[in-house]
Amino acid sequence: MSFDFSGCAFLQPNAVVFLGGLSRVIHHRGGVARFLLDTMTDPLRVNLLQNGFAHAMGAGTAPWQGNSIPYREYCSQDQDGIAYDLRRNWLGRGWINVSAGLANAVVGQMWEIFANAFEHSSTRVGVFSCGQFFKTRRQLTLAVADFGIGIPSNVRLFLGRPQLSAAEALRWAFQRGNSTTCRLAGPRGVGLDLLKELVRKNNGTMLVYSHDGRAHIDQRGETYENLDPFFEGTLVQIRLSCDDRRYVLSEEAPSQAPFF
Amino acid sequence: MYIKVKDLVGENAMTLADGEAIYGRIHDPLAQGEAVELDFDGVQVFASPFFNAGIGRLLADLTSETLNARLKFEHLSDFGARVLRRVIENAKDYYTANEDQRNAIDRIVRDNAVVA
């Protein structure tokens, strides 16, 4: 399969992870993905070289540091590697004003995306991530994609409701306490709630595409809709605003009450 | 019993597997009346899967009173404590839900695990 980039001026991080994951799916199914370099503009080619996508796809040029957060492919739940990447290459570049302690807290919340991708999707080709700092808009973006079962399928199977729409399935999955993970019988389903809180408190947005459903979450609320295009997997994109104030996680003061 | 969590899971306490490792060490001693101290010194990053598997599950057969009396957390960061409180709150909701409803959820989880 050949990818033609004519008319494409720039690839957002969500497009980069989609393209990377798709090429691995093609390879996994015995095909070959080819990227037609002569159809790329120079800025696009430079962007894909800089963020390491081209290198991951076989180009000789090693990535270098710029406004892109490196393209990564994770074949296993490498928690230390992912935490290191998030802390150093995403939060640690000085684009967001966070203390070391707060950076660790944000890393923990972003990890929830990766944990969901690994725990729920049963992906066979791994999990893909990439990000970008948009200097003029002062926005920091991170996209994470898997090509696994997809949230709507998981929820339908879990609830035994095959007719449930993708939008309703996503709405269910984003409610606190709801989870389809098969690894643990017992309480679960807090991670996305924490992530939504981070996004809302810091004027960010979270976009989720899974199968034929889309979720959009920001300070104004949550919307869930059905889409025509079908994406075989799940793509989450977080966009955080990099304004000058220090990031916050909660206005709650640390509680002294007993934990239980 | 004293457990230095970093020695078991490293700097990042984030996964179900790491939570299960903690649960496996502390459940029986707690159930048998022993006091347990979990020292999080040196652990930097916390996420809910770790606490769900390690701590939230304790509420399946141990009461809040028992756990408040026997299980102590030391050097837990403010954020770690906040995630833990959220997980415990959610676990209480889960375990106080109608038993039939809970059994149905767990049965579906097991069935799905077999399918997957």
Side-chain angles (χ1 to χ4, degrees), chain A residues 2-56:
Chain A
S2 298
F3 292 92
D4 186 323
F5 295 88
S6 300
C8 176
F10 180 72
L11 285 176
Q12 297 268 354
N14 54 3
V16 175
V17 294
F18 179 78
L19 202 55
L22 188 57
S23 72
R24 297 310 183 205
V25 170
I26 292 167
H27 182 259
H28 182 72
R29 294 177 181 174
V32 176
R34 291 189 182 85
F35 302 100
L36 304 179
L37 294 178
D38 56 351
T39 66
M40 292 182 184
T41 63
D42 285 343
L44 176 59
R45 190 181 300 119
V46 168
N47 183 243
L48 294 180
L49 285 168
Q50 189 252 302
N51 67 19
F53 177 85
H55 190 63

Side-chain angles (χ1 to χ4, degrees), chain A residues 121-196:
Chain A
S121 76
S122 306
T123 173
R124 293 182 178 182
V125 294
V127 173
F128 308 85
S129 77
C130 185
Q132 182 81 30
F133 173 59
F134 295 96
K135 201 172 178 180
T136 52
R137 283 184 266 163
R138 302 284 303 156
Q139 286 178 334
L140 187 57
T141 298
L142 184 75
V144 180
D146 67 68
F147 282 68
I149 292 171
I151 297 171
S153 279
N154 253 333
V155 171
R156 288 176 191 132
L157 186 65
F158 182 80
L159 297 178
R161 295 175 61 188
Q163 304 304 322
L164 199 66
S165 73
E168 288 307 311
L170 285 173
R171 186 188 301 279
W172 183 90
F174 276 80
Q175 302 315 302
R176 181 174 165 185
N178 289 347
S179 170
T180 61
T181 187
C182 298
R183 283 269 290 108
L184 177 74
R188 52 205 169 254
V190 176
L192 286 176
D193 201 47
L194 290 163
L195 196 57
K196 286 196 292 189

Side-chain angles (χ1 to χ4, degrees), chain A residues 77 79-80 83 87 104-105 107-109 111-112 119 157-158 176-177 181-188 190-191 193-194 197 249-250 252 254-255 257-260, chain B residues 12 14-18 20 44-49 52 55 57 64 67-68 73 78-79 82 84-86 88-92 94-95 105-106 108-109 112-113:
Chain A
Q77 198 169 183
Q79 59 168 329
D80 293 336
R87 193 183 294 116
N104 286 331
V107 167
Q109 286 179 314
W111 165 258
E112 305 282 357
E119 297 285 346
L157 186 65
F158 182 80
R176 181 174 165 185
T181 187
C182 298
R183 283 269 290 108
L184 177 74
R188 52 205 169 254
V190 176
D193 201 47
L194 290 163
E197 187 178 282
L249 286 167
S250 171
E252 299 165 20
S255 172
F259 276 98
F260 296 92
Chain B
N12 304 306
M14 307 196 297
T15 64
L16 287 175
D18 284 343
E20 284 167 345
Q44 296 184 30
V45 183
F46 298 91
S48 67
N52 275 326
I55 309 297
R57 282 170 67 203
S64 294
L67 290 167
N68 276 329
F73 304 101
D78 288 349
F79 178 72
R82 204 161 64 82
L84 176 57
R85 286 185 189 281
R86 193 74 67 90
I88 290 171
E89 196 181 326
N90 187 56
K92 284 181 175 177
Y94 175 85
Y95 287 117
I105 291 172
D106 287 342
I108 293 168
V109 168
N112 284 354

Side-chain angles (χ1 to χ4, degrees), chain A residues 10 61 68 98 129 145 159 162 172 179 187 218 234-235 242 244 252:
Chain A
F10 180 72
T61 307
S68 295
V98 287
S129 77
L159 297 178
W172 183 90
S179 170
D218 63 15
T234 300
L235 193 155
C242 306
D244 290 328
E252 299 165 20

